[in-house]
Amino acid sequence: MWSRSVITAIAVIIAVLFVLGIASDFLVDWLWFSSVGYFSVFRTMLLAQVVLFLAVFVISAVCLWASGMLALRSGRRPGPWLSANFPQLPDLFGTMAPRRAWRLLILGAAGLLALLTAMSESGNWTVALRFLDRVPYGEVDPVFGKDIGFYLFALPAYVALIHWAMVLLFLSALLAFAVYALNGEISLAARPWRISSAAIVHGSVLLGLFFALKACTYALDRFQLLYGDNGVVIGAAYTDVHVRLPILWMLIGLTGGAALVSWANIWRRAYWLLAAPAAGYVALIVLTAGIPALFERLYVKPSELQLETPYLRNNIALTQEAYDLRQVAIKPFPATQDLTLQSLDADRATVDNIRLWDWRPLMATYSQLQEIRTYYKFLDVDIDRYQLGNTYQQVMLSARQLDPTLLPQSAQTWVNLHLLFTHGNGVVMSPVTEKTREGLPIFYEHDIPPVASGGPVIDQPRLYFGEGPQSYAIVKTTTPEFDYPKGNDNAYASYAGTAGVPIGGIARRTLFAWYFDDPNILISSYITDQSRIVFRRNIAERVRTIAPFLQLDHDPYIVVSNGRLFWIQDAYTSSDWFPYAQPMAEGGADYIRNSVKIIIDAYNGTVDFYDADPHDPVLATYRRIFPGLFKPLSAMPADLQRHLRYPEDLFLIQAEMYRAYHMNAPEVFYNREDLWQFPGATSSIGSIESADGNKMAPYYMIMRLPTEPRAEFFLMVPMVPNRRENMIAWLAAGCDPPDYGKLIVYEFPKEKQIYGPLQIEARINQNTEISQQISLWNQMGSRVIRGNVLVIPIGTSILYVSPLYLRAESGQLPELKRVIAAYGDSVVMADTLPEALAALFKGTAPAAAPVAALSPALTGASADTAQAALAHYDRAIARLKAGDWSGFGAELDALRPLLERLSQGAAGH
């Protein structure tokens, strides 16, 4: 058996290692937060956690110690079970007096249990801070009339407080029972059970506290009725208000009385006064448990719609408020069939930005053509818009990031991984609609160093911060950093930015060597007094470290602005305590706002948080907690403001909720008469997975809304009725000021049959020419990749466009080979979008052959007419290739009378 000295030594070693680990984490965080300019945020978070930890620890330790010592006070000697099973205890405590040894045991047990409790509860520091700095919401709940801020900020704190008190009470009772049992004051083995008078008194105190806490719990349970779900209503329903709420009031009174009876037993010390409240409480819970269900079945169900109507109205109104759906503007969309080449030309801004490149095929193409070396990686393709010259143009772009782990295994040395290969280089950019003759993207930005061929100029292309896994890098060392490959040689550069923590001194090198478990940091001769260690280079990790209370959008995107590269990260404030609101399918939250826009400099790593929703009470609370963290949106550079976009995650959540919560009438909502859903998708490209198969994902596009004077950048998704595939509406969110954040729903006439994307897919598959061509390609060693059908609102009509890609069976280079367009009952496939639209709306100029056939036999005026017709035909083809549909149509209109004249002349012969 281990001696006391061995146990002491082991405890000391464990304590030292624990303290060193905490100290190193603390010092590294201190240095890092100071380097990024957010030390005040670190101080607030640390202070909140420390104060909460100490408060919980001290209170818990005192309560546990008091409970244990109260139990010890009545005992005179160790019980027979303890002496028989632990004879080594006298050896462990040496000559220490038995009662002193007992005090130390109780103190140690209380300290350990308090430590575990404090570690568990310290995670509620954000709950505590939100409670202390809460702001009113400005609206009240419809049942209790309390400001919704009470539910968002105060109720979670009260629930956490009661939970901690219950845990503390349970542990106190457990510790007291253990002391009584070990001292022989309680013997459950005896028949009947033997319980000392002191144990009865102690138990009465604890039982009274339990009933008092249960009374508080039932008081809070009243408010938690507003989060219920009976399958019809989210929130308090008829049964909750008329049955469960009175039962809770009754339970509050009865448990309060039970607490008084238990405390009265301190003087009576009777078994029956200890057991009676507990037995009565259990019996009451059993009896009342079935009453609400019985009431629901016998009284509510027969008249459910009538009785639940006011509560359905509460559910609808507050869910719309929680997801910011009250602002949705509903407009009619007549879905006319009057598109022409001339009307297409009037909407050139929309047509010229129809997205033919889906991100997955494009990323594969980027990887094959622009990764340049194996250690570069494109992790994502982003969609944005830029003012390029006089054109407002939608583009796709991707950052060329560096992954040193892709180096050959023999080259993965410490110097290469952390000192030499430190940064990515530049972006690739291409328009969403155009392609080369071979079906490849046309590059606006390409190569290393970046070459601008129509895109914005990049002066500082280096990316030290990005999306992928990023290990630490040490910059400003004696060895130059790899910049980019240059023919048979390499170009090198030295970091001239401000990112990182100075690491020149021996103390800091030792600290970071311990923190990263890497002794090379301590012994490397490449590190100088000017060296800096750059870590937390993944932008999501960087943001979460500074603001762990924000939820981040899944898709940060790269932006070229004033010659530099920046990441824009959308962030959300959320809560799962909004009353009467439908929770999200994932995560359980029932309130969300895109209140924060975050800008991360890809070179310097600076992180700026901007307040994008001054009216959000959750963000207003965080502004009070962390003064100086959030800047007004007006302080963001103007060029970066032009690249803000409505985030896809939020839009998807709002669209998911709007499927049902566009129904404002309770009776319609109850019957789900007008339930919508996302259109089905046959392709996995640009779709989202669901239990019902692939569904169309929202997509960004530049378009001009009906009656609006100019085209803007929108995020949109079509909607179809539940279990049907014809379109019923489309939902759009504005991304450009002054309409940023505005949600619009365009509803189709219910008396019209408007094809949905899946129905257009079926019509494409039924087109014999298209299906035969696809089958032929598949049989010739190529793989056909179909993009999703995009719904394109133009004017008051709907156009459908779908790209088609070809990839060699053994290759990884998708090529955009065809464009399929549909309008009304017509479906066509052509090499380019202009050709597809020309064929869809005007035909393919069949007059060329007659001109060629007739011209040899014509003389005089007829020959001049044929020459004029040929000139018009040539100009029409030129207009078509240039995408000028209006000019194309005008040339065909001019060609027609000339051909008719020639035809009449030929008939005369």
Side-chain angles (χ1 to χ4, degrees), residues 37-194:
Y38 290 109
F39 178 74
S40 62
V41 175
F42 171 70
R43 183 180 57 214
T44 300
M45 292 192 295
L46 179 66
L47 188 62
Q49 293 175 66
V50 169
V51 169
L52 183 60
F53 177 88
L54 290 177
V56 173
F57 176 78
V58 171
I59 295 173
S60 299
V62 168
C63 292
L64 289 166
W65 178 83
S67 182
M69 290 303 297
L70 183 63
L72 177 65
R73 188 181 62 178
S74 65
R76 299 180 179 178
R77 59 182 179 81
W81 181 88
L82 183 65
S83 301
N85 290 278
F86 293 92
Q88 69 277 14
L89 280 179
D91 296 331
L92 181 62
F93 290 100
T95 59
M96 190 179 299
R99 293 193 68 83
R100 184 183 176 193
W102 269 105
R103 291 191 189 98
L104 286 178
L105 279 174
I106 292 172
L107 183 61
L112 178 61
L113 293 175
L115 178 65
L116 295 175
T117 303
M119 291 173 64
S120 172
E121 296 298 329
S122 63
N124 287 322
W125 64 272
T126 54
V127 176
L129 289 180
R130 286 197 298 265
F131 172 74
L132 295 174
D133 287 303
R134 63 190 183 276
V135 299
Y137 189 91
E139 290 194 28
V140 298
D141 79 88
V143 176
F144 299 103
K146 282 190 168 292
D147 186 88
I148 291 176
F150 166 80
Y151 297 92
L152 296 178
F153 309 120
L155 184 58
Y158 296 148
V159 170
L161 183 63
I162 293 295
H163 175 268
W164 167 50
M166 278 293 189
V167 169
L168 182 57
L169 182 63
F170 172 76
L171 294 176
S172 298
L174 188 64
L175 181 60
F177 177 82
V179 174
Y180 282 122
L182 294 176
N183 273 343
E185 300 290 318
I186 295 178
S187 178
L188 301 182
R191 292 293 182 269
W193 293 349
R194 186 173 69 252

Side-chain angles (χ1 to χ4, degrees), residues 405 501 740 882:
T405 62
V501 176
Y740 177 89

Side-chain angles (χ1 to χ4, degrees), residues 268-312:
R268 293 293 302 271
R269 303 187 182 186
Y271 285 107
W272 66 271
L273 279 179
L274 190 63
Y281 172 71
V282 172
L284 183 64
I285 292 298
V286 172
L287 289 174
T288 58
I291 293 177
L294 191 64
F295 181 84
E296 180 92 12
R297 180 68 186 87
L298 298 179
Y299 183 78
V300 176
K301 285 296 182 183
S303 306
E304 190 170 57
L305 176 57
Q306 177 186 350
L307 296 176
E308 300 288 20
T309 290
Y311 306 103
L312 284 169

Side-chain angles (χ1 to χ4, degrees), residues 87 108 188 375 393 427 660 765 817 864 874:
L188 301 182
Y375 39 78
Q393 192 163 356
V427 300
N765 293 332
K817 284 300 185 185
D864 293 338
D874 290 338

